[in-house]
Amino acid sequence: MEKQILSVVDSRTNDRYEFPIENGAIRASDLRQIRSGADDFGLMSFDPAFLNTASCRSAITFIDGDKGILRYRGYPIERLAEKCTFLEVAYLILYGELPTELQLKNFVAGVTHHTMLHEKTKNFLEGFNHDAHPMGMFISTVAALSTVYPDARRVLDPESRELQIRRLIGKVPTIAAYAYRHSLGYPYIYPDDELSYTENFMNMLWRMVEPKYRANPVLARALDILFILHADHEQNCSTNVMRAVGSSQADPFVCTAAAASALSGPLHGGANEEVLKMLDEIGSKDNVRGYIEKVKAGHGKLMGFGHRIYKNYDPRARIIKWAADQVFVATGRNPKLDIALELEKIALEDEYFIKRKLYPNVDFYSGIIYQALGFKPEMFTVLFAIPRTVGWLAQWQELIQDPEQKIARPRQLYTGYDAREFVPIEKRAIRAAASR
Ligand code: CMC
Protein backbone atom coordinates (compact mmCIF):
# COMPACT_ATOMS: atom_id res chain seq x y z
CA MET A 1 0.00 0.00 0.00
CA GLU A 2 1.17 3.50 -0.81
CA LYS A 3 2.66 5.30 2.17
CA GLN A 4 0.26 7.91 3.55
CA ILE A 5 1.76 11.26 4.41
CA LEU A 6 0.49 14.40 6.12
CA SER A 7 2.15 17.56 4.76
CA VAL A 8 2.16 20.62 7.00
CA VAL A 9 3.39 24.15 6.38
CA ASP A 10 4.24 26.21 9.46
CA SER A 11 3.02 29.72 8.64
CA ARG A 12 5.48 31.17 11.20
CA THR A 13 8.52 29.97 9.25
CA ASN A 14 7.09 28.72 5.94
CA ASP A 15 8.89 25.44 6.66
CA ARG A 16 7.24 22.32 5.31
CA TYR A 17 7.07 19.01 7.21
CA GLU A 18 5.93 15.56 6.26
CA PHE A 19 4.58 13.08 8.78
CA PRO A 20 3.72 9.43 8.10
CA ILE A 21 0.10 8.47 8.76
CA GLU A 22 -0.29 5.01 10.29
CA ASN A 23 -3.66 3.49 11.25
CA GLY A 24 -5.30 6.86 10.67
CA ALA A 25 -2.99 8.67 13.09
CA ILE A 26 0.19 10.70 13.14
CA ARG A 27 2.62 10.44 16.02
CA ALA A 28 2.19 13.44 18.30
CA SER A 29 5.94 13.34 19.05
CA ASP A 30 6.64 13.96 15.32
CA LEU A 31 5.19 17.43 15.84
CA ARG A 32 8.21 18.28 17.98
CA GLN A 33 10.19 18.73 14.75
CA ILE A 34 8.09 21.84 14.09
CA ARG A 35 9.98 24.73 15.63
CA SER A 36 9.69 28.48 15.23
CA GLY A 37 13.34 29.03 16.19
CA ALA A 38 16.38 27.45 17.84
CA ASP A 39 15.00 27.97 21.39
CA ASP A 40 11.59 26.58 20.58
CA PHE A 41 10.90 23.28 22.36
CA GLY A 42 8.79 22.14 19.44
CA LEU A 43 5.07 22.00 18.75
CA MET A 44 2.83 20.00 21.10
CA SER A 45 -0.75 18.89 20.66
CA PHE A 46 -3.20 20.08 23.31
CA ASP A 47 -5.92 17.57 24.09
CA PRO A 48 -7.53 17.87 27.52
CA ALA A 49 -9.55 14.73 28.30
CA PHE A 50 -7.98 12.86 25.33
CA LEU A 51 -10.76 13.84 22.95
CA ASN A 52 -8.66 12.95 19.93
CA THR A 53 -5.57 11.15 21.21
CA ALA A 54 -4.87 7.43 20.93
CA SER A 55 -2.72 6.53 23.93
CA CYS A 56 -1.93 2.95 22.95
CA ARG A 57 -2.35 0.21 20.40
CA SER A 58 -4.81 -2.39 21.62
CA ALA A 59 -6.15 -5.62 20.16
CA ILE A 60 -8.74 -6.28 22.86
CA THR A 61 -11.95 -4.32 22.30
CA PHE A 62 -13.32 -2.64 19.20
CA ILE A 63 -16.05 0.01 19.34
CA ASP A 64 -17.64 1.79 16.41
CA GLY A 65 -19.52 4.49 18.26
CA ASP A 66 -21.39 5.76 15.21
CA LYS A 67 -22.73 2.35 14.31
CA GLY A 68 -23.23 1.14 17.88
CA ILE A 69 -20.83 -1.82 17.50
CA LEU A 70 -18.92 -3.45 20.36
CA ARG A 71 -16.66 -6.47 19.90
CA TYR A 72 -14.28 -8.29 22.22
CA ARG A 73 -11.35 -9.74 20.26
CA GLY A 74 -13.44 -9.49 17.11
CA TYR A 75 -16.56 -11.25 18.44
CA PRO A 76 -19.79 -9.19 18.59
CA ILE A 77 -20.98 -8.56 22.13
CA GLU A 78 -24.45 -9.87 21.22
CA ARG A 79 -23.06 -13.32 20.27
CA LEU A 80 -20.91 -13.53 23.38
CA ALA A 81 -23.78 -12.51 25.66
CA GLU A 82 -26.00 -15.13 24.04
CA LYS A 83 -23.59 -18.06 23.86
CA CYS A 84 -20.90 -17.75 26.54
CA THR A 85 -20.38 -17.76 30.26
CA PHE A 86 -18.61 -14.85 31.89
CA LEU A 87 -15.39 -16.76 32.55
CA GLU A 88 -15.34 -17.96 28.94
CA VAL A 89 -15.47 -14.32 27.85
CA ALA A 90 -12.88 -13.41 30.49
CA TYR A 91 -10.54 -16.00 28.94
CA LEU A 92 -11.18 -14.55 25.48
CA ILE A 93 -10.47 -11.00 26.65
CA LEU A 94 -7.31 -12.01 28.51
CA TYR A 95 -5.78 -14.46 26.04
CA GLY A 96 -7.24 -13.40 22.69
CA GLU A 97 -9.05 -16.62 21.71
CA LEU A 98 -12.16 -18.43 22.86
CA PRO A 99 -11.04 -21.33 25.09
CA THR A 100 -11.37 -25.01 24.24
CA GLU A 101 -13.26 -27.06 26.80
CA LEU A 102 -10.02 -28.11 28.49
CA GLN A 103 -8.60 -24.58 28.50
CA LEU A 104 -11.81 -23.27 30.04
CA LYS A 105 -11.87 -26.03 32.65
CA ASN A 106 -8.32 -25.20 33.70
CA PHE A 107 -8.99 -21.46 33.73
CA VAL A 108 -12.17 -21.86 35.81
CA ALA A 109 -10.29 -24.14 38.23
CA GLY A 110 -7.43 -21.60 38.42
CA VAL A 111 -9.78 -18.71 39.23
CA THR A 112 -11.90 -20.76 41.64
CA HIS A 113 -8.75 -21.79 43.51
CA HIS A 114 -8.20 -18.12 44.40
CA THR A 115 -11.64 -17.04 45.63
CA MET A 116 -10.79 -17.14 49.37
CA LEU A 117 -9.65 -14.04 51.22
CA HIS A 118 -6.94 -14.20 53.85
CA GLU A 119 -8.55 -14.03 57.33
CA LYS A 120 -6.55 -10.86 58.01
CA THR A 121 -8.14 -9.26 54.94
CA LYS A 122 -11.54 -10.24 56.35
CA ASN A 123 -10.58 -8.52 59.62
CA PHE A 124 -9.53 -5.49 57.61
CA LEU A 125 -13.03 -5.29 56.13
CA GLU A 126 -14.52 -5.52 59.60
CA GLY A 127 -12.87 -2.21 60.46
CA PHE A 128 -15.19 -0.25 58.18
CA ASN A 129 -18.21 1.59 59.56
CA HIS A 130 -21.49 -0.24 59.05
CA ASP A 131 -22.61 2.52 56.67
CA ALA A 132 -19.35 2.73 54.67
CA HIS A 133 -19.99 2.98 50.93
CA PRO A 134 -19.39 -0.49 49.43
CA MET A 135 -17.31 1.01 46.61
CA GLY A 136 -14.96 2.60 49.18
CA MET A 137 -14.65 -0.77 50.92
CA PHE A 138 -14.04 -2.51 47.60
CA ILE A 139 -11.34 -0.08 46.46
CA SER A 140 -9.52 -0.12 49.80
CA THR A 141 -9.62 -3.90 50.18
CA VAL A 142 -8.35 -4.52 46.64
CA ALA A 143 -5.47 -2.12 47.41
CA ALA A 144 -4.87 -3.90 50.72
CA LEU A 145 -4.31 -7.19 48.86
CA SER A 146 -1.06 -5.64 47.68
CA THR A 147 0.22 -6.08 51.26
CA VAL A 148 -0.87 -9.72 51.34
CA TYR A 149 0.84 -10.57 48.03
CA PRO A 150 4.17 -8.69 47.88
CA ASP A 151 5.23 -11.05 45.06
CA ALA A 152 2.80 -9.10 42.85
CA ARG A 153 5.47 -6.44 42.51
CA ARG A 154 7.30 -8.66 40.05
CA VAL A 155 5.29 -7.20 37.22
CA LEU A 156 7.87 -8.08 34.57
CA ASP A 157 7.64 -11.77 35.42
CA PRO A 158 4.94 -13.36 33.21
CA GLU A 159 4.28 -16.20 35.66
CA SER A 160 3.75 -13.78 38.51
CA ARG A 161 1.41 -11.69 36.36
CA GLU A 162 -0.63 -14.79 35.52
CA LEU A 163 -0.94 -15.67 39.20
CA GLN A 164 -2.04 -12.16 40.21
CA ILE A 165 -4.61 -12.08 37.40
CA ARG A 166 -6.22 -15.27 38.70
CA ARG A 167 -6.03 -14.03 42.26
CA LEU A 168 -7.75 -10.78 41.39
CA ILE A 169 -10.49 -12.29 39.24
CA GLY A 170 -11.07 -14.92 41.94
CA LYS A 171 -11.17 -12.50 44.84
CA VAL A 172 -13.11 -9.48 43.59
CA PRO A 173 -16.53 -11.17 43.97
CA THR A 174 -15.57 -12.27 47.48
CA ILE A 175 -14.58 -8.72 48.44
CA ALA A 176 -17.78 -7.35 46.88
CA ALA A 177 -19.96 -9.88 48.70
CA TYR A 178 -18.21 -9.29 52.02
CA ALA A 179 -18.66 -5.52 51.61
CA TYR A 180 -22.36 -6.12 50.94
CA ARG A 181 -22.84 -8.36 53.97
CA HIS A 182 -20.83 -6.00 56.13
CA SER A 183 -23.24 -3.19 55.31
CA LEU A 184 -26.14 -5.44 56.38
CA GLY A 185 -24.38 -6.70 59.50
CA TYR A 186 -24.57 -10.31 58.27
CA PRO A 187 -21.80 -12.89 58.80
CA TYR A 188 -19.51 -13.47 55.81
CA ILE A 189 -20.10 -16.54 53.67
CA TYR A 190 -17.07 -18.44 52.41
CA PRO A 191 -16.83 -19.24 48.68
CA ASP A 192 -18.28 -22.52 47.43
CA ASP A 193 -15.97 -24.09 44.84
CA GLU A 194 -18.72 -26.28 43.41
CA LEU A 195 -20.68 -23.32 42.09
CA SER A 196 -20.08 -21.29 38.94
CA TYR A 197 -18.46 -17.85 39.22
CA THR A 198 -21.79 -16.03 39.31
CA GLU A 199 -23.63 -18.60 41.42
CA ASN A 200 -20.82 -18.53 43.96
CA PHE A 201 -21.07 -14.74 44.07
CA MET A 202 -24.81 -15.05 44.73
CA ASN A 203 -24.04 -17.66 47.40
CA MET A 204 -21.66 -15.28 49.18
CA LEU A 205 -24.23 -12.48 48.93
CA TRP A 206 -27.43 -14.20 49.88
CA ARG A 207 -26.93 -17.55 51.63
CA MET A 208 -28.43 -17.54 55.09
CA VAL A 209 -28.86 -20.77 57.12
CA GLU A 210 -29.43 -23.25 54.30
CA PRO A 211 -26.62 -25.84 54.09
CA LYS A 212 -26.18 -25.39 50.33
CA TYR A 213 -27.07 -22.30 48.30
CA ARG A 214 -29.07 -22.93 45.15
CA ALA A 215 -29.09 -19.96 42.80
CA ASN A 216 -32.15 -19.21 40.68
CA PRO A 217 -30.77 -20.17 37.23
CA VAL A 218 -32.58 -17.29 35.48
CA LEU A 219 -31.08 -14.73 37.84
CA ALA A 220 -27.63 -16.35 37.73
CA ARG A 221 -27.67 -16.24 33.93
CA ALA A 222 -28.85 -12.61 33.90
CA LEU A 223 -26.01 -11.64 36.25
CA ASP A 224 -23.56 -13.57 34.07
CA ILE A 225 -24.77 -11.64 31.01
CA LEU A 226 -24.43 -8.34 32.87
CA PHE A 227 -20.87 -9.34 33.76
CA ILE A 228 -20.12 -10.14 30.09
CA LEU A 229 -21.44 -6.73 29.00
CA HIS A 230 -19.30 -4.89 31.53
CA ALA A 231 -16.05 -6.85 31.04
CA ASP A 232 -14.16 -4.35 28.89
CA HIS A 233 -14.74 -1.13 27.02
CA GLU A 234 -11.39 -0.08 25.54
CA GLN A 235 -9.77 3.16 26.73
CA ASN A 236 -12.42 4.53 29.09
CA CYS A 237 -11.56 6.62 32.16
CA SER A 238 -10.82 3.71 34.55
CA THR A 239 -8.89 1.69 31.96
CA ASN A 240 -6.82 4.73 31.22
CA VAL A 241 -6.07 4.95 34.95
CA MET A 242 -5.17 1.24 35.03
CA ARG A 243 -2.70 1.83 32.23
CA ALA A 244 -1.36 5.09 33.67
CA VAL A 245 -0.69 3.57 37.09
CA GLY A 246 0.50 0.30 35.55
CA SER A 247 2.98 2.24 33.42
CA SER A 248 4.95 3.06 36.59
CA GLN A 249 5.23 -0.73 37.15
CA ALA A 250 3.10 -0.54 40.31
CA ASP A 251 1.62 -3.92 41.28
CA PRO A 252 -1.73 -4.97 39.77
CA PHE A 253 -3.62 -4.78 43.09
CA VAL A 254 -2.94 -1.07 43.57
CA CYS A 255 -3.46 -0.49 39.83
CA THR A 256 -6.87 -2.18 40.03
CA ALA A 257 -7.77 -0.17 43.12
CA ALA A 258 -6.86 3.03 41.26
CA ALA A 259 -8.93 1.99 38.25
CA ALA A 260 -11.87 1.15 40.52
CA SER A 261 -11.54 4.61 42.09
CA ALA A 262 -11.94 6.16 38.64
CA LEU A 263 -14.92 3.88 38.00
CA SER A 264 -16.66 5.08 41.16
CA GLY A 265 -17.26 8.60 39.81
CA PRO A 266 -20.82 9.51 38.76
CA LEU A 267 -19.78 10.29 35.18
CA HIS A 268 -18.37 6.77 34.79
CA GLY A 269 -19.44 3.57 36.59
CA GLY A 270 -21.05 5.52 39.42
CA ALA A 271 -23.73 6.60 36.93
CA ASN A 272 -25.80 3.43 37.55
CA GLU A 273 -26.31 4.47 41.18
CA GLU A 274 -27.16 8.01 40.06
CA VAL A 275 -29.76 6.72 37.57
CA LEU A 276 -31.73 5.12 40.39
CA LYS A 277 -31.52 8.30 42.48
CA MET A 278 -32.77 10.22 39.45
CA LEU A 279 -35.69 7.82 38.87
CA ASP A 280 -36.59 8.15 42.57
CA GLU A 281 -36.49 11.92 42.24
CA ILE A 282 -38.73 11.84 39.16
CA GLY A 283 -41.14 9.61 41.06
CA SER A 284 -43.70 8.91 38.34
CA LYS A 285 -44.16 8.83 34.57
CA ASP A 286 -46.12 12.09 34.72
CA ASN A 287 -43.08 13.99 35.96
CA VAL A 288 -40.73 12.83 33.18
CA ARG A 289 -41.40 15.69 30.76
CA GLY A 290 -40.82 18.32 33.46
CA TYR A 291 -37.57 16.63 34.50
CA ILE A 292 -36.29 16.59 30.94
CA GLU A 293 -37.09 20.29 30.60
CA LYS A 294 -35.03 20.98 33.73
CA VAL A 295 -32.07 19.05 32.26
CA LYS A 296 -32.35 20.97 29.00
CA ALA A 297 -32.36 24.22 30.95
CA GLY A 298 -28.96 23.21 32.38
CA HIS A 299 -30.06 21.79 35.76
CA GLY A 300 -28.10 18.57 35.93
CA LYS A 301 -27.73 15.75 33.43
CA LEU A 302 -29.87 12.86 32.43
CA MET A 303 -27.87 10.16 34.17
CA GLY A 304 -27.34 7.00 32.13
CA PHE A 305 -27.48 9.04 28.92
CA GLY A 306 -24.67 10.08 26.62
CA HIS A 307 -21.28 8.60 25.88
CA ARG A 308 -17.93 9.87 24.69
CA ILE A 309 -17.74 7.19 21.98
CA TYR A 310 -21.30 6.00 21.28
CA LYS A 311 -23.20 8.44 19.13
CA ASN A 312 -25.79 5.76 18.51
CA TYR A 313 -27.63 3.31 20.77
CA ASP A 314 -25.19 1.63 23.19
CA PRO A 315 -25.45 -2.07 22.16
CA ARG A 316 -25.05 -3.08 25.81
CA ALA A 317 -28.15 -1.09 26.80
CA ARG A 318 -30.18 -3.04 24.24
CA ILE A 319 -29.06 -6.41 25.67
CA ILE A 320 -29.64 -5.21 29.23
CA LYS A 321 -33.22 -4.29 28.34
CA TRP A 322 -33.70 -7.86 27.10
CA ALA A 323 -32.07 -9.31 30.25
CA ALA A 324 -34.35 -7.11 32.39
CA ASP A 325 -37.40 -8.81 30.93
CA GLN A 326 -35.99 -12.23 31.87
CA VAL A 327 -35.23 -11.06 35.41
CA PHE A 328 -38.66 -9.52 35.93
CA VAL A 329 -40.31 -12.87 35.14
CA ALA A 330 -38.56 -14.22 38.23
CA THR A 331 -38.61 -11.16 40.50
CA GLY A 332 -41.66 -9.21 39.39
CA ARG A 333 -41.43 -6.00 37.40
CA ASN A 334 -39.48 -3.11 38.86
CA PRO A 335 -41.91 -0.15 38.68
CA LYS A 336 -38.93 2.13 37.92
CA LEU A 337 -38.79 0.51 34.49
CA ASP A 338 -41.91 2.39 33.39
CA ILE A 339 -40.35 5.72 34.34
CA ALA A 340 -37.11 4.74 32.57
CA LEU A 341 -38.95 3.69 29.38
CA GLU A 342 -40.92 6.94 29.36
CA LEU A 343 -37.72 8.91 29.92
CA GLU A 344 -36.00 7.13 27.05
CA LYS A 345 -38.99 7.61 24.74
CA ILE A 346 -39.32 11.34 25.38
CA ALA A 347 -35.59 11.99 25.31
CA LEU A 348 -35.07 10.15 22.02
CA GLU A 349 -37.74 12.32 20.36
CA ASP A 350 -36.38 15.56 21.77
CA GLU A 351 -34.31 17.92 19.62
CA TYR A 352 -31.82 18.57 22.47
CA PHE A 353 -30.90 14.88 22.73
CA ILE A 354 -31.14 14.18 18.99
CA LYS A 355 -28.80 17.06 18.14
CA ARG A 356 -26.22 15.93 20.68
CA LYS A 357 -26.64 12.25 19.82
CA LEU A 358 -27.42 11.32 23.41
CA TYR A 359 -28.69 7.76 23.82
CA PRO A 360 -29.13 5.52 26.87
CA ASN A 361 -25.84 3.95 27.90
CA VAL A 362 -25.10 0.71 29.79
CA ASP A 363 -25.83 2.33 33.14
CA PHE A 364 -29.36 3.41 32.26
CA TYR A 365 -31.02 0.01 32.65
CA SER A 366 -28.47 -1.98 34.66
CA GLY A 367 -29.48 -0.40 37.98
CA ILE A 368 -33.11 -1.34 37.42
CA ILE A 369 -32.10 -4.99 37.11
CA TYR A 370 -29.75 -4.81 40.07
CA GLN A 371 -32.54 -3.32 42.17
CA ALA A 372 -34.94 -6.06 41.08
CA LEU A 373 -32.27 -8.57 42.14
CA GLY A 374 -32.33 -7.02 45.61
CA PHE A 375 -29.28 -4.74 45.59
CA LYS A 376 -29.24 -1.28 47.12
CA PRO A 377 -28.02 1.42 44.70
CA GLU A 378 -24.73 1.79 46.61
CA MET A 379 -23.77 -1.72 45.45
CA PHE A 380 -24.33 -1.05 41.74
CA THR A 381 -20.86 0.26 40.90
CA VAL A 382 -19.25 -2.63 42.76
CA LEU A 383 -21.23 -4.95 40.47
CA PHE A 384 -19.68 -3.10 37.54
CA ALA A 385 -16.16 -3.35 39.02
CA ILE A 386 -16.20 -7.16 39.35
CA PRO A 387 -16.33 -7.94 35.61
CA ARG A 388 -14.39 -4.83 34.59
CA THR A 389 -11.45 -6.19 36.62
CA VAL A 390 -10.98 -8.65 33.73
CA GLY A 391 -10.76 -5.83 31.18
CA TRP A 392 -8.41 -3.80 33.37
CA LEU A 393 -6.10 -6.79 33.76
CA ALA A 394 -6.11 -7.62 30.04
CA GLN A 395 -5.25 -4.00 29.26
CA TRP A 396 -2.54 -4.06 31.93
CA GLN A 397 -1.00 -7.22 30.43
CA GLU A 398 -1.07 -5.63 27.00
CA LEU A 399 0.61 -2.50 28.37
CA ILE A 400 3.39 -4.41 30.16
CA GLN A 401 4.11 -6.46 27.02
CA ASP A 402 4.04 -3.51 24.63
CA PRO A 403 7.63 -2.42 23.84
CA GLU A 404 6.39 1.04 22.84
CA GLN A 405 4.86 1.83 26.23
CA LYS A 406 6.72 3.94 28.74
CA ILE A 407 5.73 5.61 31.97
CA ALA A 408 2.64 7.76 31.26
CA ARG A 409 3.63 11.36 31.60
CA PRO A 410 1.62 13.98 29.72
CA ARG A 411 2.86 17.46 28.94
CA GLN A 412 1.13 20.64 30.09
CA LEU A 413 0.66 24.16 28.79
CA TYR A 414 2.00 26.21 31.68
CA THR A 415 -0.24 29.19 32.44
CA GLY A 416 1.31 30.33 35.74
CA TYR A 417 3.65 33.17 36.68
CA ASP A 418 7.07 33.74 35.19
CA ALA A 419 9.96 33.70 37.71
CA ARG A 420 9.17 36.05 40.64
CA GLU A 421 11.21 37.67 43.42
CA PHE A 422 10.75 35.78 46.71
CA VAL A 423 8.78 37.84 49.29
CA PRO A 424 9.70 37.36 52.99
CA ILE A 425 6.68 36.50 55.20
CA GLU A 426 6.59 39.89 57.02
CA LYS A 427 6.30 41.71 53.72
CA ARG A 428 3.53 39.64 52.19
CA ALA A 429 0.17 41.23 51.53
CA ILE A 430 -3.03 39.22 51.25
CA ARG A 431 -3.69 38.61 47.60
CA ALA A 432 -6.91 37.43 46.08
CA ALA A 433 -6.77 33.63 46.26
CA ALA A 434 -5.27 32.54 43.01
CA SER A 435 -6.06 29.27 41.43
CA ARG A 436 -3.44 29.85 38.78
N1 CMC B 1 -27.74 14.80 29.88
C1 CMC B 1 -27.86 16.02 29.32
N2 CMC B 1 -26.95 16.55 28.49
C2 CMC B 1 -25.86 15.84 28.25
C3 CMC B 1 -25.65 14.57 28.78
C4 CMC B 1 -26.64 14.05 29.63
N3 CMC B 1 -26.50 12.84 30.18
N4 CMC B 1 -24.47 14.08 28.35
C5 CMC B 1 -23.94 15.02 27.56
N5 CMC B 1 -24.78 16.08 27.49
C6 CMC B 1 -24.60 17.30 26.68
C7 CMC B 1 -23.50 18.17 27.27
O1 CMC B 1 -24.02 19.08 28.21
C8 CMC B 1 -22.97 18.83 26.03
O2 CMC B 1 -23.89 19.83 25.64
P1 CMC B 1 -23.36 21.21 24.97
O3 CMC B 1 -22.76 20.80 23.66
O4 CMC B 1 -24.57 22.04 24.84
O5 CMC B 1 -22.35 21.76 25.93
C9 CMC B 1 -23.06 17.74 24.96
O6 CMC B 1 -24.13 16.88 25.40
C10 CMC B 1 -21.78 16.92 24.83
O7 CMC B 1 -21.46 16.35 26.09
P2 CMC B 1 -20.02 16.25 26.69
O8 CMC B 1 -20.11 16.45 28.18
O9 CMC B 1 -19.05 17.10 25.93
O10 CMC B 1 -19.67 14.73 26.38
P3 CMC B 1 -18.47 13.89 26.98
O11 CMC B 1 -18.08 12.93 25.96
O12 CMC B 1 -17.42 14.76 27.57
O13 CMC B 1 -19.16 13.13 28.22
C11 CMC B 1 -20.40 11.56 29.48
C12 CMC B 1 -19.65 11.85 28.17
C13 CMC B 1 -20.76 10.09 29.53
C14 CMC B 1 -19.47 11.88 30.68
C15 CMC B 1 -21.67 12.46 29.54
O14 CMC B 1 -22.53 12.12 28.47
C16 CMC B 1 -22.40 12.33 30.86
O15 CMC B 1 -22.04 13.01 31.82
N6 CMC B 1 -23.45 11.43 30.95
C17 CMC B 1 -24.15 11.21 32.20
C18 CMC B 1 -23.35 10.29 33.09
C19 CMC B 1 -23.36 8.86 32.57
O16 CMC B 1 -24.40 8.31 32.24
N7 CMC B 1 -22.17 8.25 32.57
C20 CMC B 1 -22.02 6.83 32.16
C21 CMC B 1 -21.24 6.72 30.88
S1 CMC B 1 -21.34 5.12 30.13
C22 CMC B 1 -20.66 3.97 31.17
C23 CMC B 1 -19.36 4.31 31.76
O17 CMC B 1 -18.47 4.91 31.18
O18 CMC B 1 -19.19 3.93 32.93
Side-chain angles (χ1 to χ4, degrees):
M1 203 176 109
E2 203 181 316
K3 232 174 143 187
Q4 295 183 318
I5 299 284
L6 174 74
S7 300
V8 176
V9 176
D10 183 349
S11 64
R12 299 170 299 178
T13 57
N14 277 329
D15 287 340
R16 186 186 181 86
Y17 301 86
E18 298 210 321
F19 303 123
I21 301 175
E22 242 184 274
N23 299 111
I26 59 159
R27 282 188 179 260
S29 54
D30 281 352
L31 298 176
R32 291 272 294 279
Q33 299 164 35
I34 303 180
R35 295 189 175 166
S36 58
D39 291 341
D40 188 350
F41 166 83
L43 200 69
M44 290 193 285
S45 61
F46 178 56
D47 191 10
F50 299 118
L51 287 171
N52 194 37
T53 295
S55 65
C56 61
R57 292 174 199 275
S58 181
I60 302 171
T61 293
F62 172 81
I63 302 174
D64 183 328
D66 291 326
K67 296 196 181 124
I69 291 173
L70 168 61
R71 297 183 199 128
Y72 298 153
R73 302 282 188 184
Y75 293 101
I77 190 71
E78 294 80 4
R79 282 291 127 314
L80 297 172
E82 187 191 338
K83 303 276 184 206
C84 294
T85 63
F86 170 66
L87 283 187
E88 206 177 339
V89 173
Y91 185 101
L92 169 72
I93 290 175
L94 285 162
Y95 306 111
E97 296 297 338
L98 284 165
T100 63
E101 274 181 39
L102 183 63
Q103 284 171 324
L104 182 60
K105 192 165 157 249
N106 290 337
F107 180 64
V108 171
V111 168
T112 308
H113 182 73
H114 290 291
T115 47
M116 291 278 284
L117 289 184
H118 194 286
E119 286 297 295
K120 286 269 172 15
T121 311
K122 212 179 80 178
N123 296 346
F124 175 86
L125 265 157
E126 274 162 12
F128 287 107
N129 262 355
H130 70 282
D131 58 354
H133 196 290
M135 201 53 191
M137 288 193 257
F138 180 86
I139 292 165
S140 318
T141 312
V142 170
L145 290 182
S146 156
T147 65
V148 182
Y149 303 111
D151 57 314
R153 292 177 182 206
R154 297 202 317 266
V155 296
L156 300 182
D157 171 353
E159 270 182 42
S160 172
R161 285 204 302 274
E162 230 4 89
L163 175 61
Q164 315 315 329
I165 285 174
R166 281 161 207 238
R167 279 179 173 155
L168 265 159
I169 298 173
K171 287 179 202 316
V172 283
T174 316
I175 296 172
Y178 280 20
Y180 173 77
R181 295 197 58 114
H182 181 80
S183 66
L184 296 174
Y186 291 167
Y188 305 127
I189 301 293
Y190 287 95
D192 180 342
D193 282 8
E194 289 175 2
L195 300 177
S196 76
Y197 191 78
T198 322
E199 287 169 341
N200 172 48
F201 179 47
M202 294 165 79
N203 158 65
M204 292 186 292
L205 288 166
W206 292 318
R207 190 172 137 216
M208 296 308 276
V209 291
E210 65 271 38
K212 180 92 182 168
Y213 181 79
R214 308 244 172 253
N216 177 326
V218 174
L219 302 187
R221 179 64 190 143
L223 205 50
D224 218 47
I225 291 175
L226 283 163
F227 279 5
I228 291 171
L229 301 182
H230 285 88
D232 192 52
H233 212 234
E234 54 119 301
Q235 307 311 313
N236 54 80
C237 177
S238 55
T239 302
N240 181 53
V241 168
M242 183 82 190
R243 281 180 174 264
V245 181
S247 76
S248 76
Q249 297 184 356
D251 78 58
F253 293 100
V254 292
C255 292
T256 303
S261 308
L263 187 77
S264 70
L267 299 188
H268 191 8
N272 51 17
E273 182 179 341
E274 299 301 317
V275 170
L276 255 285
K277 286 189 201 155
M278 178 184 76
L279 295 177
D280 278 340
E281 194 189 328
I282 295 173
S284 85
K285 269 170 75 173
D286 299 340
N287 299 332
V288 166
R289 227 170 255 285
Y291 191 87
I292 288 187
E293 288 309 316
K294 270 196 340 200
V295 168
K296 284 162 60 183
H299 303 294
K301 283 183 167 176
L302 211 52
M303 299 313 285
F305 259 71
H307 200 277
R308 172 66 59 78
I309 307 289
Y310 291 121
K311 301 300 167 199
N312 197 326
Y313 213 94
D314 180 336
R316 301 169 299 173
R318 196 170 280 126
I319 303 169
I320 286 186
K321 255 171 113 176
W322 173 86
D325 289 337
Q326 316 301 306
V327 168
F328 295 156
V329 172
T331 63
R333 191 176 163 88
N334 184 340
K336 305 264 167 49
L337 182 67
D338 294 325
I339 307 177
L341 287 170
E342 181 74 359
L343 201 60
E344 178 186 333
K345 184 171 146 283
I346 296 180
L348 292 185
E349 288 166 359
D350 192 294
E351 186 54 29
Y352 176 97
F353 294 90
I354 295 171
K355 198 172 125 203
R356 292 170 179 77
K357 300 188 175 167
L358 301 170
Y359 290 85
N361 58 50
V362 69
D363 292 317
F364 191 65
Y365 286 106
S366 61
I368 295 175
I369 303 192
Y370 294 146
Q371 195 174 48
L373 290 172
F375 291 106
K376 288 186 294 182
E378 299 86 74
M379 264 307 278
F380 294 176
T381 313
V382 176
L383 298 170
F384 191 154
I386 296 169
R388 183 55 59 88
T389 298
V390 166
W392 290 330
L393 290 168
Q395 301 270 351
W396 171 73
Q397 270 276 33
E398 197 174 54
L399 163 101
I400 300 276
Q401 291 171 320
D402 182 345
E404 268 206 308
Q405 287 291 332
K406 292 168 178 271
I407 187 163
R409 205 316 184 174
R411 296 269 170 189
Q412 63 169 11
L413 304 183
Y414 178 68
T415 61
Y417 291 107
D418 265 343
R420 298 200 278 173
E421 276 305 316
F422 179 78
V423 183
I425 193 161
E426 64 281 6
K427 294 202 175 148
R428 288 176 208 163
I430 296 175
R431 291 165 185 264
S435 60
R436 23 191 302 148

